[in-house]
Amino acid sequence: MNTMQSSLHILYIGKSAQCLEPLKQKQNVTLTALDNNLLAVNYLKSSTQPDAIICDYQLTGQDGLHLFDWVRQRSVFNSAPFILLAPVFNRDIFKMAFQRKVDDFYPLADVQADKILDRIRYLREYRKKESSSPVVEPAAAPYRMPVSKRLFDIL
């Protein structure tokens, strides 16, 4: 990693901000913590775009997947990785999160600020590369029926 890293603005939505407290001590990292969906939506509508969003699954009113859906419906936030935190590992929540294409999922017991910060940096770099590389569609080859199929039909 290079020594000159750009500043990261991370938005956290939930009630477990203490697990991410070490991020506030990091140089070039700003952590904004909000308690619920409504505050988060109002913040996202009125403020600059965060570099990453970390969200608790259990929020007042709705769950974190509803907020994820709201965020992904707005293309301005597509470059921001979305990380979902659950109180404990739950297979059903895990499956739902990845079916909806949440970028990452952690049980709160496994949250380590440094690892999450590394993961955010990786996901941002991956998205930059993904968006900058052109999509090349393979040339469509004409369909040719295999000889064995033709012989089978004839006999």
Side-chain angles (χ1 to χ4, degrees):
M1 261 211 204
N2 66 28
T3 54
M4 288 291 292
Q5 293 178 349
S6 62
S7 179
L8 280 177
H9 175 218
I10 300 171
L11 174 61
Y12 169 73
I13 303 109
K15 302 219 184 275
S16 305
Q18 70 277 5
C19 67
L20 299 172
E21 200 63 33
L23 290 178
K24 290 183 177 179
Q25 311 306 318
K26 299 284 182 189
Q27 192 173 18
N28 297 327
V29 175
T30 1
L31 179 69
T32 303
L34 303 172
D35 289 342
N36 60 49
N37 276 358
L38 183 59
L39 291 174
V41 167
N42 289 335
Y43 178 84
L44 290 169
K45 284 181 178 178
S46 66
S47 295
T48 59
Q49 175 184 350
D51 295 312
I53 300 171
I54 302 173
C55 182
D56 283 353
Y57 176 75
Q58 293 179 336
L59 295 172
T60 306
Q62 295 179 337
D63 62 42
L65 289 174
H66 284 94
L67 182 62
F68 171 76
D69 292 338
W70 183 89
V71 166
R72 286 300 179 245
Q73 288 171 356
R74 282 133 187 94
S75 61
V76 69
F77 302 116
N78 281 346
S79 66
F82 193 99
I83 297 174
L84 191 66
L85 305 178
V88 294
F89 181 80
N90 179 311
R91 184 180 304 261
D92 295 332
I93 296 171
F94 179 79
K95 283 181 181 179
M96 279 191 303
F98 280 99
Q99 285 172 346
R100 291 187 185 178
K101 300 189 178 174
V102 169
D103 293 299
D104 217 338
F105 176 92
Y106 292 93
L108 278 170
D110 293 340
V111 171
Q112 295 176 11
D114 287 334
K115 288 185 178 182
I116 287 191
L117 190 57
D118 289 342
R119 184 68 177 155
I120 289 169
R121 287 187 174 128
Y122 168 78
L123 288 168
R124 288 190 50 77
E125 282 301 311
Y126 175 77
R127 290 207 175 187
K128 282 181 190 174
K129 288 178 185 174
E130 186 180 65
S131 65
S132 66
S133 61
V135 176
V136 179
E137 293 191 30
Y143 177 74
R144 294 187 60 191
M145 188 177 297
V147 175
S148 60
K149 170 75 173 141
R150 294 166 79 196
L151 287 174
F152 180 77
D153 288 343
I154 293 171
L155 298 175

